[in-house]
């Protein structure tokens, strides 16, 4: 077992949990969105606006192929849409233990209602977009996960402890 990979919807806490877990386990942390932004020299929003969603999805696949090839032991937080592609789901599963941070739509809305960095939630009816996307993706997240952690109402510390106890062999 090498990597521990966090998947889940926007606002599920993948980045915050990943950073905390990285300190707790002394394993280096990587955030896919940030890595893609560094490579491209622009934000995810700019990539969506200038190149379109499909181009971003291809960047995610290219990143995961490289991540898998290069090996090593990391905690990786993915983008909320990373498990949409079948190839990505296969790469994630091969690369390590996949932990799905499951979140309720109300929590996502409360956390992201003032956010301007998620192009898929921009514009009219963010609540409807959140519920719609979550409903479309739920099964894909579950299909990809080795274990599921419900995050609503839990502190970061409690989530990190739950992940550590559920993925014992990683630590
Ligand atoms: C996306 C989630 C975002 C980012 C992009 C698309 C999605 O990542 O990759 O805006 O399709 O759910 P976070 O889950 O880190 O917000």
């Amino acid at each position: 077992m090498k990597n521990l990979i966090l998947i889940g919807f926007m606002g599920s806490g993948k980045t915050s949990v990943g950073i905390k877990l990285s300190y707790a386990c002394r394993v280096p942390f990587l955030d896919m969105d940030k890595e893609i932004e560094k490579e491209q020299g622009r934000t995810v929003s700019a990539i969506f606006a200038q190149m379109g969603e499909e181009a971003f999805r291809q960047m995610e696949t290219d990143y995961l192929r490289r991540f898998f090839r290069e090996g090593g032991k990391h905690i990786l937080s993915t983008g909320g849409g990373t498990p949409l592609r079948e190839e990505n789901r296969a790469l994630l599963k091969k690369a390590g233990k996949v932990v799905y941070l499951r979140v309720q739509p109300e929590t996502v809305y409360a956390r992201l209602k003032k956010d301007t960095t998620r192009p898929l939630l921009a514009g009219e009816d963010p609540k409807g977009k959140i519920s719609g996307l979550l409903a479309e993706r739920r099964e894909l997240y579950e299909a990809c996960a080795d274990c599921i952690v419900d995050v609503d109402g839990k502190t970061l510390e409690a989530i990190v402890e739950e992940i550590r106890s559920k993925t014992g062999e990683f630590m």
Side-chain angles (χ1 to χ4, degrees), residues 10 14 33 44 48 56-57 78-81 118-120 137:
M10 292 171 264
K14 300 179 295 290
D33 282 345
V44 170
F48 269 69
F56 177 72
R57 298 295 172 211
T78 57
R118 275 32 179 234
L120 294 179
R137 293 176 176 186

Side-chain angles (χ1 to χ4, degrees), residues 8-12 14-15 31-33 36 44-45 48 53 56-57 60 77-82 84 112 115 117-121 133 137 141:
F9 200 71
M10 292 171 264
S12 59
K14 300 179 295 290
T15 302
D31 180 286
M32 261 181 79
D33 282 345
I36 291 173
V44 170
S45 296
F48 269 69
E53 180 172 347
F56 177 72
R57 298 295 172 211
E60 292 186 301
S77 89
T78 57
T82 306
L84 293 178
L112 296 185
D115 180 86
T117 66
R118 275 32 179 234
L120 294 179
L121 304 182
L133 283 172
R137 293 176 176 186
Y141 290 138

Side-chain angles (χ1 to χ4, degrees), residues 28-41:
F29 172 70
L30 287 169
D31 180 286
M32 261 181 79
D33 282 345
K34 291 277 168 331
E35 294 299 313
I36 291 173
E37 287 182 337
K38 269 196 262 170
E39 271 169 28
Q40 295 292 320

Side-chain angles (χ1 to χ4, degrees), residues 102-104 107 111 150-156 158-159:
R102 185 162 60 189
V103 68
Q104 295 302 314
T107 306
R111 288 180 181 175
D150 286 302
V151 299
D152 306 87
K154 293 180 186 159
T155 62
L156 266 185
I159 295 166

Side-chain angles (χ1 to χ4, degrees), residues 28-91:
F29 172 70
L30 287 169
D31 180 286
M32 261 181 79
D33 282 345
K34 291 277 168 331
E35 294 299 313
I36 291 173
E37 287 182 337
K38 269 196 262 170
E39 271 169 28
Q40 295 292 320
R42 52 188 138 181
T43 62
V44 170
S45 296
I47 297 169
F48 269 69
Q50 294 160 10
M51 305 168 83
E53 180 172 347
E54 263 317 291
F56 177 72
R57 298 295 172 211
Q58 190 55 45
M59 290 170 197
E60 292 186 301
T61 302
D62 293 343
Y63 180 83
L64 281 182
R65 285 179 184 158
R66 237 177 309 129
F67 176 78
F68 181 68
R69 219 177 28 240
E70 284 168 10
K73 179 169 173 163
H74 293 94
I75 292 170
L76 176 72
S77 89
T78 57
T82 306
L84 293 178
R85 283 194 176 186
E86 194 178 346
E87 178 178 354
N88 295 359
R89 294 197 295 280
L91 281 165

